[in-house]
């Protein structure tokens, strides 16, 4: 059988390479069977013995690795603008949990399509996603159709923090049984583009046995563990009160630790916990917009990187951001450290590593994603450098990416070498249909919770 024709030559662009540090070279990127086959100096010819390539002219553009967001909630995209100006605990209890409870298969499907469309059009090629408690199969169906690389999981909750709706929390065994069925169906689907993660919401909403069993299942399936940790001071105090341990020590005691574990936020961790997370090789995900908007605090990312922690980046969900714009997250990640530590803190090159290589490690795909290197999967973005806010393009392109670029600069997006966005147009689904259906499902959903 002939493999799908994703063979491609991205010619004449500036190519962003990572060899210890970022470097830009004028080169052609050759893609075969979904992987990066060669990076050649411009003017080099593709191997004539091979099948013909589709040639895409990239002059005036930057060919760069797809950006990775290692903490998003696509199920919340329909909640955009419905939960502003609240701290985390009220945001969850008064808005997010009632809205998640009111989801149907259809609303979860279109919420995922809407979020994934925004992500792909804005240059994000891979995500780690936490869905809600129910309807996760519908989210996977959307992810399969739209063509983004995604590791997603059903949200696990079996205990009720004060104010949480009883109908979201499940029995421990029931939650785990459904998670296992979803992993059997989706982990490795779509030629490995889709993967499953076990996703306990956060320690206050989960029993110890649920957390331990999620860790065991992740090990068994070779899957990631995706949760929130140390997001607010209230969360930290709640965990200390109920377990007698610091939050990171508690998570370690139930197996949420090590390279499989991905902890979103970690705003409220001390120096000893940062050292412990680094030694464990636990992945951390920085979500600067979300942390600022919910008033949670500022994660000590430079200290985490200095200690050797793996750090990735994420927009979190639409109701706490309210965009899923990785360029905004990169810019903010750099800016918010500077008043605290000085203007030298977290330079652009480090932020870009967090949004590429750090994300790849958080997905457990460090050998497959995160940079343009021969043999890696061809998850690539072609960025148009000709917008006035990116001139002079002869300057520092890494600086442009972090401080100046925006989603509308994204021209083409490839996942596994397959074009999903060309010339700023989504190819895998109709954007008009996504917007229309998302609007309709959001109106119905608000009606069901009396926020009409
Ligand atoms: Zn989150």
């Amino acid at each position: 059988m002939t493999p799908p024709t994703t063979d491609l030559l991205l010619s004449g662009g500036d190519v962003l390479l990572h060899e210890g540090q970022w470097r830009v070279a004028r080169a052609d990127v050759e893609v075969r069977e979904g992987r990066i086959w060669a990076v050649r100096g411009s003017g080099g010819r593709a191997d004539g013995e091979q099948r013909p390539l589709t040639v895409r002219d990239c002059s005036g553009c930057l060919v760069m690795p797809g950006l990775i967001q290692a903490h998003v909630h696509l199920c919340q995209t329909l909640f955009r603008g419905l939960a502003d100006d609240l701290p985390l605990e009220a945001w969850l209890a008064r808005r997010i949990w009632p809205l998640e409870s009111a989801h149907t298969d259809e609303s979860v499907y279109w919420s995922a399509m809407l979020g994934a469309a925004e992500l792909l059009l804005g240059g994000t090629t891979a995500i780690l996603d936490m869905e809600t408690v129910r309807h996760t199969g519908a989210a996977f169906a959307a992810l399969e159709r739209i063509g983004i690389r995604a590791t997603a999981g059903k949200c696990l909750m079996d205990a009720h923090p004060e104010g949480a709706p009883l109908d979201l929390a499940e029995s421990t065994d029931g939650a785990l049984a459904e998670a296992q069925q979803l992993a059997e169906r989706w982990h490795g689907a779509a030629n490995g583009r889709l993967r499953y993660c076990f996703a306990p919401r956060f320690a206050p909403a989960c029993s110890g046995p649920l957390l331990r069993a999620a860790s065991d299942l992740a090990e068994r399936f070779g899957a990631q563990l995706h949760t929130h940790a140390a997001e607010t001071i209230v969360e930290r105090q709640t965990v200390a009160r109920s377990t007698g341990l610091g939050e990171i020590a508690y998570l370690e005691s139930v197996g949420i630790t090590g390279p499989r574990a991905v902890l979103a936020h970690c705003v409220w961790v001390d120096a000893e916990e940062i050292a412990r997370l680094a030694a464990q090789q636990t992945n951390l995900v920085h979500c600067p917009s979300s942390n600022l908007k919910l008033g949670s605090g500022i994660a000590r990312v430079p200290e985490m990187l200095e200690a050797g922690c793996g750090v990735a980046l994420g927009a979190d969900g639409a109701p706490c951001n309210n965009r899923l714009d990785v360029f905004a997250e990169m810019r903010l990640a750099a800016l918010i450290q500077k008043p605290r530590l000085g203007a030298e803190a977290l330079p652009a090159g480090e932020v870009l590593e967090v949004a590429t290589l750090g994300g790849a490690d958080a997905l457990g795909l460090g050998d497959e994603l995160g940079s343009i290197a021969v043999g890696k999967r061809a998850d690539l973005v072609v960025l148009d450098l000709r917008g006035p806010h990116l001139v002079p393009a002869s300057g520092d392109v890494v600086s442009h990416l972090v401080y100046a670029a925006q989603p509308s600069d994204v021209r083409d997006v490839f996942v596994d070498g397959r074009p999903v966005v060309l010339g700023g147009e989504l190819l895998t689904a109709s954007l008009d249909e996504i917007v229309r259906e998302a609007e309709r499902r959001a109106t119905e959903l608000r009606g069901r919770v009396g926020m009409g």
Side-chain angles (χ1 to χ4, degrees):
M1 194 182 116
T2 312
T5 52
T6 51
D7 294 355
L8 179 74
L9 188 71
L10 300 175
S11 77
D14 287 330
V15 179
L16 183 64
L17 303 167
H18 192 277
E19 293 154 357
Q21 57 186 359
W22 297 108
R23 179 171 80 81
V24 176
R26 179 66 52 85
D28 295 345
V29 178
E30 185 179 339
V31 172
R32 291 197 182 269
E33 293 173 25
R35 290 186 183 269
I36 296 163
W37 183 268
V39 180
R40 308 175 196 282
S42 204
R45 278 189 317 144
D47 184 346
E49 300 302 308
Q50 297 274 353
R51 289 189 308 279
L53 296 156
T54 302
V55 178
R56 183 85 175 148
D57 180 11
C58 295
S59 22
C61 295
L62 181 73
V63 181
M64 58 181 285
L67 296 161
I68 299 173
Q69 297 202 44
H71 183 63
V72 298
H73 301 262
L74 293 184
C75 66
Q76 296 176 2
T77 320
L78 297 187
F79 313 163
R80 191 188 326 260
L82 295 183
D84 292 340
D85 311 323
L86 293 167
L88 177 73
E89 291 73 21
W91 180 87
L92 283 170
R94 285 165 48 188
R95 302 293 164 87
I96 300 308
W97 285 335
L99 285 160
E100 285 193 11
S101 291
H103 257 314
T104 62
D105 273 356
E106 290 71 27
S107 61
V108 163
Y109 179 88
W110 290 107
S111 194
M113 289 294 279
L114 180 67
E118 182 183 355
L119 290 163
L120 286 170
L121 288 165
T124 295
T125 53
I127 54 170
L128 185 65
D129 174 39
M130 182 184 291
E131 286 296 317
T132 183
V133 170
R134 295 183 287 270
H135 316 295
T136 300
F140 270 108
L143 295 166
E144 183 174 43
R145 176 178 169 199
I146 205 161
I148 198 169
R149 184 180 305 286
T151 299
K154 156 196 169 67
C155 177
L156 300 169
M157 296 171 77
D158 71 338
H160 325 298
E162 203 175 331
L166 294 177
D167 65 337
L168 266 189
E170 300 181 298
S171 74
T172 310
D173 290 348
L176 291 166
E178 195 197 355
Q180 191 173 326
Q181 283 166 11
L182 286 161
E184 282 161 2
R185 167 69 182 85
W186 293 104
H187 192 53
N191 195 28
R193 177 168 59 80
L194 302 180
R195 293 165 63 85
Y196 193 76
C197 61
F198 292 88
R201 182 150 224 145
F202 68 153
C206 300
S207 67
L210 180 72
L211 294 170
R212 168 56 69 184
S215 168
D216 292 345
L217 281 169
E219 197 61 41
R220 206 173 105 203
F221 279 88
Q224 297 303 89
L225 268 167
H226 180 195
T227 192
H228 300 95
E231 183 172 358
T232 68
I233 189 74
V234 175
E235 176 186 337
R236 185 179 173 86
Q237 290 163 348
T238 302
V239 173
R241 205 167 45 239
S242 60
T243 69
L245 294 171
E247 191 163 350
I248 300 307
Y250 173 66
L251 289 173
E252 184 172 358
S253 78
V254 289
I256 311 289
T257 179
R260 286 201 192 293
V262 186
L263 309 184
H265 306 305
C266 290
V267 173
W268 294 91
V269 289
D270 62 24
E272 186 271 326
E273 288 171 313
I274 289 173
R276 185 191 284 245
L277 289 163
Q280 296 167 349
Q281 295 182 278
T282 300
N283 298 285
L284 315 180
V285 189
H286 182 39
C287 304
S289 291
S290 170
N291 295 156
L292 292 179
K293 184 158 182 277
L294 296 170
S296 305
I298 295 175
R300 292 190 294 159
V301 172
E303 290 92 329
M304 291 166 174
L305 291 170
E306 177 69 29
C309 290
V311 182
L313 197 65
D316 210 346
C320 63
N321 188 304
N322 294 353
R323 287 182 283 161
L324 306 179
D325 171 356
V326 69
F327 293 102
E329 295 309 301
M330 286 198 290
R331 177 179 155 90
L332 205 50
L335 297 188
I336 62 174
Q337 301 299 334
K338 298 182 188 296
R340 191 170 69 84
L341 297 172
E344 307 81 10
L346 211 54
E350 285 184 34
V351 174
L352 191 58
E353 286 170 352
V354 163
T356 52
L357 298 159
D361 285 339
L363 290 171
L365 298 171
D367 294 337
E368 297 271 53
L369 308 176
S371 62
I372 295 181
V374 172
K376 283 196 171 182
R377 290 182 181 266
D379 289 9
L380 300 168
V381 167
V382 179
L383 197 87
D384 192 328
L385 293 172
R386 289 168 291 198
H389 56 286
L390 298 178
V391 175
S394 54
D396 181 344
V397 170
V398 171
S399 162
H400 286 359
L401 283 177
V402 170
Y403 291 119
Q406 51 198 33
S408 56
D409 301 320
V410 172
R411 192 189 78 175
D412 306 332
V413 177
F414 302 88
V415 176
D416 277 336
R418 175 193 183 203
V420 288
V421 173
L422 283 183
E425 299 278 332
L426 186 66
L427 302 184
T428 46
S430 155
L431 188 60
D432 286 346
E433 184 191 16
I434 292 170
V435 168
R436 192 173 61 243
E437 289 293 330
E439 201 66 61
R440 178 176 148 213
R441 307 298 168 170
T443 303
E444 293 169 356
L445 184 91
R446 286 198 305 273
R448 289 196 289 278
V449 290
M451 291 184 197

